[in-house]
Amino acid sequence: MWSKSLLWPAVILLFLALPFVIDSNYYLSILIVIGLYTIIVQGLGILMGYAGQVSFGHAGFFGLGGYTVAILTTRFDWSPVFALIAAVILPGLIAAIIGRPTLKLRELYLALGTMGFGILIHTLFNEGRELTGGPSGISGIPYLSIGGLSFDSDIKFFYLVWAVVLLVLIGINNLIRSRVGRALRAISESEHAAETAGIDTGKLKLKAFIFSALLAGLAGGLYAFYITFISPSPFGFHTSVQFVLMAVVGGLGTFLGPLLGAALVVLLGELLRWVIPLVIPGAGGEYEIIFFGLILVFLMIFRPKGLGAFGKNLKPPAVKPSVAPE
Amino acid sequence: MSDQLLQLLFTGLTLGSIYSLIALALVTTFKVTGILNLAQGEFVAIGALLAISLYATGIPMFAAFILAIILVAIMGGCLERAAIHPARRASGLTLIIITLGLSISLRGLALLIWGTDTYSLPAFSQGGPLIIGGAVLNPQSFWILGLAVITLSVLYAFLGLTYAGKAVKAAVINRTAARLVGINPNTISFWAFVGSGALGAAAGIFIAPVTMSTYDMGFMLAIKGFVAAVIGGLNNIGGAVLGGLLLGVLESYSAGLISSGLKDGLAIIILLVVLMVKPHGILGLLGERKI
């Protein structure tokens, strides 16, 4: 596969040239949103693909990151960089609190716990008027500036987001090949076998969950700096469902699955938003969720490994055991 | 003051009995198939909306109810065959995502059929409120409580007296052992979804005259059902009923005595606290009980 080593740099270079080819802010903003979602789905993919757990509350962590940036920069005059760091840490802390007791139990307890958290935090965004601005949200978030560099245009932000995506991609790729990664893969193969081999599966699942929350918080913080305005509506339960859909569509436990899933679901959402009003006159955006639901059901039944068939599998060619244990 | 407490208790039990029915369906399905059915709330919403639409065509109210319950039960069975059965060997993660997909598809379907309007059903009986011990009680509450008791009795009779019921009960107690004595898990899974459909629809219809019915009413009701089931430990039927009643009463008291805005948030806070402190349910405090 090293014969293809020129392919990837070429693809990346072409991609980096995109902002100069696309002169529409609409398409550029779609690419930025895909990048932000990819960051979240990368973490969720680790949680789902390796730790075998699902979170129905990642929009909550995403929102928590966004609101942390919004509140710290506008209400407390924190510098953007520190606010972004806080936006990463806070969701991680909350994930540790929710995850510690629930992850020792079956997968559905984390599903329920995160679902509850997602709804609760969404309610808090709506109701905590003094801090969160209620349904009308918080505006006037400053641009992110690191050193003297201010990310005040879509093009700059495009590069920032995709640099983060690339870093996370490389980081996860290394993680999967490390000791922790081998342990995670062991859990995904067989939890009992992993435990027998001395892996503390509960602890590792918790780490995977915290890691996914940190990434969601990071994406949320970046989102707040990008839009410079925040309100509760993008962080509801349906967004959490969309993240799960992205992870599943792209393929769990694959290298490019999160990127593929985020891109396909965002593009499908844009397409549906455009097509549905033509087919069903007077229909609002709520209808797209039907399609997402159906896709989810069909994928899980017929292609539970997702569509990421051409994405390189993260699992390196395993040494086949001489006797396959059942 | 005591009048108010009595009234709130009564309101709480009324709501709680609805939660109990939903929790009951969730726990039965979970125990029999290992699946947490996230589409349960949509059974509730579609049951209520179907009954309202059928009643609007002019057929008697009682017939509309029975018909709606039967239709949703059939829908539950069809969904099990179409979506759960083909994936029955998949992991718990896959199955829970399938039910999530079903849930949002059904909600979308309800939106297509009924739109975003709110629908209401007249009370099951005419007449003003009853005054008992100084508390003002809505007659619909008696209907809800009475019907919930009847539904539970029918369910207990089914589980205790019929052959199919005993098979389900055996699968609830121990899935593997039930399989070993020749009870087909595929059949039981099918009937669990049929039963969930019927129970959910019944819960939706009973509550329809009290709350407005909308295509998305099932979401919050299902969450309450989950909370009730988790309070009961997701593990036994008695726990689900008790959890539902407890949640209803807690909600009613917190809304009546503290703040009405607290009502929906409370259930979720209870969910998170129970998951963190007592994830096997409060009945664990009383020692493990089966069924």
Side-chain angles (χ1 to χ4, degrees):
Chain A
M1 73 154 279
W2 286 108
S3 61
K4 290 184 196 160
S5 60
L6 279 178
L7 181 68
W8 283 111
V11 169
I12 291 170
L13 272 179
L14 270 178
F15 188 76
L16 290 180
L18 268 181
F20 298 100
V21 184
I22 301 168
D23 54 355
S24 147
N25 272 343
Y26 170 67
Y27 291 114
L28 203 55
S29 72
I30 287 181
L31 287 175
I32 292 171
V33 167
I34 291 174
L36 288 171
Y37 285 174
T38 305
I39 297 172
I40 300 166
V41 181
Q42 279 170 327
L44 200 58
I46 294 281
L47 182 71
M48 291 171 69
Y50 293 96
Q53 298 284 327
V54 64
S55 162
F56 293 141
H58 260 54
F61 294 119
F62 180 46
L64 194 61
Y67 269 93
T68 305
V69 159
I71 290 168
L72 289 179
T73 53
T74 60
R75 304 255 200 280
F76 297 96
D77 287 323
W78 279 39
S79 81
V81 176
F82 286 114
L84 189 60
I85 293 170
V88 176
I89 294 172
L90 194 61
L93 284 178
I94 303 247
I97 295 169
I98 300 173
R100 215 178 59 82
T102 47
L103 276 162
K104 292 192 188 109
L105 305 158
R106 298 180 56 162
E107 54 268 313
L108 58 95
Y109 281 90
L110 186 73
L112 278 178
T114 48
M115 193 165 162
F117 160 75
I119 298 166
L120 188 65
I121 195 102
H122 190 241
T123 314
L124 287 179
F125 292 156
N126 266 314
E127 301 294 328
R129 284 169 199 284
E130 274 138 52
L131 200 59
T132 65
S136 49
I138 299 172
S139 53
I141 301 167
Y143 289 115
L144 178 63
S145 55
I146 301 170
L149 184 60
S150 174
F151 292 92
D152 52 3
S153 70
D154 277 16
I155 291 187
K156 284 180 187 168
F157 217 88
F158 170 88
Y159 287 117
L160 174 72
V161 166
W162 284 93
V164 174
V165 170
L166 201 63
L167 279 179
V168 175
L169 211 58
I170 293 167
I172 287 179
N173 201 23
N174 287 336
L175 178 83
I176 290 306
R177 280 151 216 285
S178 71
R179 190 170 184 280
V180 174
R182 284 193 297 277
L184 276 171
R185 286 207 303 275
I187 293 181
S188 72
E189 295 289 329
S190 162
E191 200 170 329
H192 290 301
E195 258 172 11
T196 317
I199 295 166
D200 187 344
T201 56
K203 203 170 167 183
L204 210 56
K205 284 185 199 169
L206 180 61
K207 281 184 182 166
F209 180 51
I210 294 173
F211 177 69
S212 70
L214 295 174
L215 284 184
L218 173 66
L222 289 173
Y223 173 85
F225 282 124
Y226 170 53
I227 308 279
T228 68
F229 162 74
I230 206 153
S231 71
S233 56
F235 307 115
F237 181 66
H238 69 277
T239 312
S240 292
V241 173
Q242 273 193 30
F243 292 152
V244 172
L245 179 64
M246 288 170 190
V248 170
V249 167
L252 297 173
T254 56
F255 182 58
L256 289 176
L259 175 58
L260 187 70
L264 283 177
V265 173
V266 169
L267 293 176
L268 181 68
E270 291 298 319
L271 184 73
L272 288 175
R273 200 165 299 164
W274 178 68
V275 170
I276 289 173
L278 300 181
V279 183
I280 312 164
E286 305 102 330
Y287 288 90
E288 69 188 50
I289 201 90
I290 310 179
F291 292 91
F292 288 158
L294 289 176
I295 294 166
L296 212 47
V297 174
F298 281 110
L299 266 182
M300 282 328 257
I301 295 173
F302 298 109
R303 290 290 299 267
K305 299 264 179 243
L307 297 175
F310 71 82
K312 185 179 62 174
N313 201 311
L314 269 183
K315 293 173 188 170
V319 182
K320 283 266 156 76
S322 49
V323 182
E326 180 54 12
Chain B
M1 190 62 195
S2 69
D3 312 346
Q4 198 200 353
L5 289 182
L6 183 68
Q7 192 167 333
L8 288 174
L9 177 72
F10 205 75
T11 317
L13 287 176
T14 309
L15 262 180
S17 63
I18 298 292
Y19 300 158
S20 292
L21 292 179
I22 300 169
L24 205 56
L26 286 168
V27 170
T28 310
T29 317
F30 176 64
K31 285 290 283 182
V32 169
T33 62
I35 297 167
L36 186 70
N37 181 15
L38 295 180
Q40 185 65 47
E42 277 55 52
F43 293 170
V44 178
I46 292 178
L49 291 167
L50 257 182
I52 292 169
S53 292
L54 287 170
Y55 179 63
T57 63
I59 61 174
M61 197 187 256
F62 185 70
F65 293 172
I66 298 291
L67 205 56
I69 291 175
I70 291 172
L71 285 174
V72 178
I74 292 172
M75 185 183 83
C78 290
L79 289 177
E80 196 277 341
R81 283 294 110 166
I84 306 291
H85 187 73
R88 63 194 178 281
R89 289 192 183 83
S91 67
L93 182 75
T94 306
L95 288 165
I96 201 169
I97 296 174
I98 288 179
T99 66
L100 174 74
L102 287 178
S103 158
I104 56 183
S105 310
L106 287 176
R107 204 179 316 154
L109 185 71
L111 177 65
L112 268 181
I113 299 174
W114 287 282
T116 50
D117 303 338
T118 53
Y119 295 83
S120 64
L121 198 61
F124 295 172
S125 61
Q126 268 73 46
L130 299 165
I131 295 165
I132 297 174
V136 184
L137 306 174
N138 184 344
Q140 182 65 23
S141 296
F142 286 102
W143 277 106
I144 293 177
L145 275 176
L147 287 167
V149 169
I150 291 170
T151 311
L152 282 179
S153 312
V154 170
L155 192 72
Y156 267 90
F158 169 71
L159 290 176
L161 301 177
T162 65
Y163 187 76
K166 283 176 182 167
V168 171
K169 196 171 166 183
V172 168
I173 295 171
N174 189 326
R175 205 167 11 143
T176 317
R179 193 172 185 164
L180 285 174
V181 297
I183 296 168
N184 185 347
N186 291 335
T187 318
I188 298 294
S189 167
F190 175 75
W191 287 109
F193 272 84
V194 171
S196 298
L199 270 177
I205 293 166
F206 297 164
I207 205 175
V210 179
T211 59
M212 290 290 171
S213 302
T214 54
Y215 78 99
D216 60 353
M217 69 186 276
F219 182 65
M220 217 51 219
L221 281 170
I223 300 276
K224 305 286 171 68
F226 294 136
V227 180
V230 168
I231 293 176
L234 262 182
N235 227 0
N236 62 62
I237 289 176
V241 174
L242 211 61
L245 294 176
L246 192 65
L247 178 64
V249 171
L250 281 175
E251 273 191 350
S252 166
Y253 277 128
S254 73
L257 300 177
I258 307 169
S259 152
S260 61
L262 214 69
K263 204 179 129 217
D264 284 348
L266 181 80
I268 292 173
I269 293 168
I270 293 176
L271 171 73
L272 290 174
V273 169
V274 172
L275 283 178
M276 271 172 224
V277 180
K278 200 78 197 149
H280 291 292
I282 51 156
L283 281 195
L285 295 170
L286 312 172
E288 188 64 55
R289 277 176 45 193
K290 295 285 179 195
I291 298 232

